[in-house]
């Protein structure tokens, strides 16, 4: 074959470097596979290799698929391109030390990058060159976090039972009419294309009309869950709940908040709950701390609402409404949230029917803006949670009673 | 036709009054040369859609635009059989005494009965090469994304009754998203990805000079300085470049020579599109930003 060779076929050294770089990205948690490496090499052949900016853009365009990964990529690139051979060594590693990057706390992902540069002792003696100080600090804080998140392991049978429970879950307004249609001989609409195809089987004679009906689908579900200290006893149950939910239903997004909001949807997608919870523990900074509901909702409204509340999403807000900040900014953000989603359900696991009046500032600020209020005085099992959420819509009277009490 | 270097690509875009920063020009160049779809994400009003238009004009190709929406299906996006015409053909065949079923079937599933929609039009080998703009992909639903995979991977569409239609010249494909929904990884992996950010002040001034010619230099500098400061505020929806251009046009229509707080208050609706944001900025905050912008532009 005499196919013309591409211009500037990248040298073998370059290819080796790109593969090394890809391995680094992969170990830092970026989904980089063979397809990305091939594309990156193809891209590099088309840019000026002497221009660092062009090289960086070519690699980013081919190896990064979402903006969230870009920061990690940028830092890995800066290190790797300065000296590919030395990236594993102490001098380079110290550049990634959290105190140099961000004074207050390590940037998300920096720990993953450090691990990628120096994989934690995988039987290779050479890796011990990694500076012990940084590693020790990080693993200590990690251990702390996992201790706070003290979960009993669920057996496989228990997990199966939990999933069976969640399958029974029917949320209010759970069916959304889409604009798609499917063939259904008993359907209300006539399907012209289908009728024609039917008629061809009869030699072009229309004997029967094909019919169709609209497809209905559950709308996206967004769970915003309070994991602050006052909610601590329910955290485990709620995490199992959202984990099963994320794995069973399509279009579920899960956010946890105490003082900060974290999107844990991707972590929860892991099928094994224990692994999923460990991943969650890695990224959630504030287990069992204080609550800033207003701030968490403000973050949600600002950065996530437009991304996850499309297609008539239903929002399930799980919180006791006890706000450390005295409900500052809460009403305005609840109002914005209510207006951005189709249906807002507030599940409050701490309210009692018997003689409780929702006097807390937070609860008063939130109540006017919810479509549904589901209080429960003692949330002990998934079964209870599922049947609570599956109750028919209680709009109107009961919500009015609560609002009057407030 | 297709530019040879990143510089030429940037020049091509600039010749159509699109001033791309270096990373964007590089990515566009790679997309053109590698025949890969280009997936652009970014805030509204940062010029994502504009790139497709500019490329079509610059490369002298026809622009095929597919605006996505929830429930967008095959019939609206790719092709649809013209059922009325097919039925008529059957009746006519009957009247002419045609009885061969197989022949009838093969006759009515042919190209004249196939109605082209944007995707099919973009890869139609009988038409001139195209730039295919799949706009606001985040508004479409997931079943549509799944269908797109075939089109994006091989630039072909398979019509079951008819066969596979493949592009002779692969179209330049631009996909845009405002991130109202996360687009699936499978789509991302087939594309080159670029996040389109707001431009920095010098580039925004240069864009304004192209898009709003005749604007006094002083006013232009103040407008850009003001908008750049506005983007640092804690707002629900930040103003994009298109808002800057609109606002500059409005100020010049009002015969403004320089920014003053009263006019800014009156025209704030061009920059900010949420009442909460307007209420937050209007008045003292706007006056402060105007003072800062004027000092910076002086």
């Amino acid at each position: 074959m005499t196919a013309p060779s591409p211009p500037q076929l990248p040298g073998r050294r370059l290819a080796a470097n790109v593969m090394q770089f890809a391995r680094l990205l992969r170990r830092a948690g970026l989904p980089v596979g063979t397809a990305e490496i091939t594309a990156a090499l193809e891209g590099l052949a088309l840019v000026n290799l002497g221009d660092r900016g062009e090289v960086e853009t070519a690699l980013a365009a081919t190896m990064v698929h979402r903006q969230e990964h870009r920061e990690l990529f940028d830092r890995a690139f800066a290190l790797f391109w300065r000296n590919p051979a030395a990236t594993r060594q102490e001098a380079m590693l110290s550049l990634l030390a959290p105190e140099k990057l961000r004074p207050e706390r390590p940037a998300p992902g920096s720990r993953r990058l450090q691990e990628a540069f120096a994989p934690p002792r995988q039987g290779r003696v050479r890796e011990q060159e990694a500076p012990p100080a940084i590693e020790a600090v990080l693993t200590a804080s990690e251990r702390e976090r996992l201790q706070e998140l003290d979960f009993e392991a669920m057996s496989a049978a228990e997990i199966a039972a939990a999933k069976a429970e969640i399958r029974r879950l029917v949320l209010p307004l759970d069916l959304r009419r889409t604009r798609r249609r499917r063939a259904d001989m008993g359907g209300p609409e006539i399907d012209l294309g289908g009728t024609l195809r039917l008629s061809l089987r009869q030699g072009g004679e229309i004997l029967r009309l094909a019919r169709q009906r609209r497809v209905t689908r559950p709308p996206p579900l967004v769970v915003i869950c309070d994991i602050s200290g006052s909610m601590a006893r329910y955290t485990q149950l709620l995490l199992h709940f959202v984990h099963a939910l994320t794995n069973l239903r399509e279009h579920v997004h899960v956010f946890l908040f105490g003082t900060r909001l974290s999107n844990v949807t991707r972590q929860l997608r892991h099928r094994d709950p224990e692994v999923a919870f460990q991943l969650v523990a890695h990224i959630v900074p504030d287990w069992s701390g204080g609550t800033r509901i207003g701030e968490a909702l403000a973050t949600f409204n600002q950065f996530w609402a437009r991304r996850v509340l499309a297609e008539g999403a239903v929002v399930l807000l799980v919180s006791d409404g006890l706000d450390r900040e005295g409900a500052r900014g809460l009403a305005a953000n609840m109002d914005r949230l209510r207006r951005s989603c189709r249906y807002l359900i507030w599940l409050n696991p701490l309210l009692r029917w018997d003689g409780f009046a929702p006097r807390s500032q937070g609860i008063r600020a939130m109540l006017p803006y919810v479509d549904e209020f589901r209080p429960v005085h003692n949330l002990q099992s998934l079964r209870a949670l599922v049947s609570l959420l599956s109750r028919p819509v209680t709009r109107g009277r009961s919500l009015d009673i609560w609002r009057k009490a407030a | 036709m297709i530019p040879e270097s990143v510089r030429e690509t940037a020049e091509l875009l600039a010749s159509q009054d699109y001033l791309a920063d270096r990373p964007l020009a590089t990515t566009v160049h790679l997309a053109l040369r590698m025949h890969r779809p280009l997936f652009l994400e970014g805030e509204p009003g940062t010029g994502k859609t504009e790139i497709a238009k500019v490329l079509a004009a610059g490369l002298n190709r026809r622009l095929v635009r597919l605006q996505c929406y929830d429930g967008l299906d095959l019939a609206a996006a790719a092709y649809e059989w013209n059922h009325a015409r097919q039925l008529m053909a059957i009746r006519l065949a009957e009247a002419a005494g045609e009885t061969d079923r197989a022949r009838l079937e093969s006759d009515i599933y042919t190209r004249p009965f196939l109605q082209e929609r944007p995707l099919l039009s973009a890869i139609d080998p009988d038409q001139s090469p195209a730039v295919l703009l799949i706009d606001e992909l985040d508004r479409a639903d997931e079943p549509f994304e799944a269908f797109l995979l075939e089109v994006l991977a091989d630039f072909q569409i398979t019509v079951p009754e008819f066969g596979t239609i493949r592009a002779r010249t692969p179209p330049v494909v631009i996909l845009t998203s405002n991130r109202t929904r996360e687009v699936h990884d499978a789509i991302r992996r087939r594309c080159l990805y670029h996040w389109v950010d707001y431009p920095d002040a010098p580039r925004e001034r240069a864009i304004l000079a192209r898009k709003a010619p005749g604007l006094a230099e002083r006013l232009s500098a103040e407008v850009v300085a003001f908008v750049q400061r506005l983007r640092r505020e804690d707002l629900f929806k930040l103003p994009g470049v298109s808002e800057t251009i609109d606002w500059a046009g409005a100020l010049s229509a009002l015969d403004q020579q320089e920014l003053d707080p009263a006019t800014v208050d009156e025209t704030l609706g061009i920059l900010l599109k949420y009442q909460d944001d307007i209420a937050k900025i209007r008045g003292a905050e706007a006056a402060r930003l105007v003072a800062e912008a004027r000092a910076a532009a002086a």
Side-chain angles (χ1 to χ4, degrees), chain A residues 7 31-36 38-40 42-44 46-48 51 53-55 57-62 64-68 70 176-180 191-194 196-197 199-206 217 250-251 253 266 301-311 332 336 339-340, chain B residues 4-7 22-24 26-27 29-30 33-36 39 41 43 69-74 81-84 86-87 90-91 94 101 104-105 108-109 138-144 161 178-185 188-195 197 234-238 274 276-277:
Chain A
V32 175
T34 329
E36 279 79 10
T38 322
E42 202 184 324
L44 284 178
L46 295 167
V47 298
N48 174 10
D51 184 321
E54 285 189 19
V55 170
T57 311
L59 289 176
T62 47
V64 179
H65 302 301
R66 42 181 76 237
Q67 175 68 1
E68 295 92 296
R70 186 57 202 256
R176 186 179 69 97
R177 276 151 55 93
T178 66
R179 295 185 42 168
R180 291 183 187 282
D191 172 10
L192 255 189
L196 193 71
R197 278 189 293 276
S199 77
L200 283 172
R201 278 182 228 151
Q202 322 290 338
E205 203 59 58
I206 295 178
R217 277 200 307 175
E250 281 181 282
H251 309 296
H253 298 273
R266 281 197 170 238
N301 285 333
Q302 177 88 32
F303 297 104
W304 292 103
R306 273 175 289 215
R307 292 167 67 178
V308 298
L309 291 184
E311 299 181 31
R336 154 108 35 225
R339 281 187 281 129
S340 323
Chain B
E4 286 295 322
S5 68
V6 176
R7 195 174 48 82
R22 193 62 185 273
L24 179 58
T26 308
T27 314
H29 175 67
L30 289 174
R33 294 293 305 271
M34 292 166 75
H35 302 298
R36 286 276 204 117
F39 182 43
E41 262 190 334
E43 299 297 328
Y69 54 85
D70 188 14
L72 178 64
D73 58 4
L74 218 54
W81 288 107
N82 190 339
H83 301 303
Q86 284 175 320
L87 281 173
I90 293 173
R91 290 283 163 256
E94 268 178 7
R101 241 176 78 181
L104 186 62
E105 196 157 335
I108 64 164
Y109 285 114
D138 47 332
R139 288 176 184 274
D141 49 14
E142 280 177 6
F144 177 71
E161 300 91 342
N178 290 331
R179 288 218 292 195
T180 60
R181 180 177 65 84
E182 294 293 347
V183 170
H184 199 273
D185 282 358
R188 295 172 182 273
R189 300 199 55 183
R190 278 165 179 79
C191 302
L192 299 185
Y193 176 81
H194 188 77
W195 172 264
D197 222 334
D234 179 22
L235 296 173
F236 188 64
K237 162 79 184 74
L238 300 178
Y274 284 86
D276 295 358
D277 288 349

Side-chain angles (χ1 to χ4, degrees), chain B residues 227-246:
Chain B
V227 174
Q228 295 265 339
R229 272 165 185 72
L230 206 52
R231 291 201 189 113
R232 279 183 234 142
E233 296 294 310
D234 179 22
L235 296 173
F236 188 64
K237 162 79 184 74
L238 300 178
V241 184
S242 46
E243 276 87 4
T244 314
I245 297 169
D246 288 349

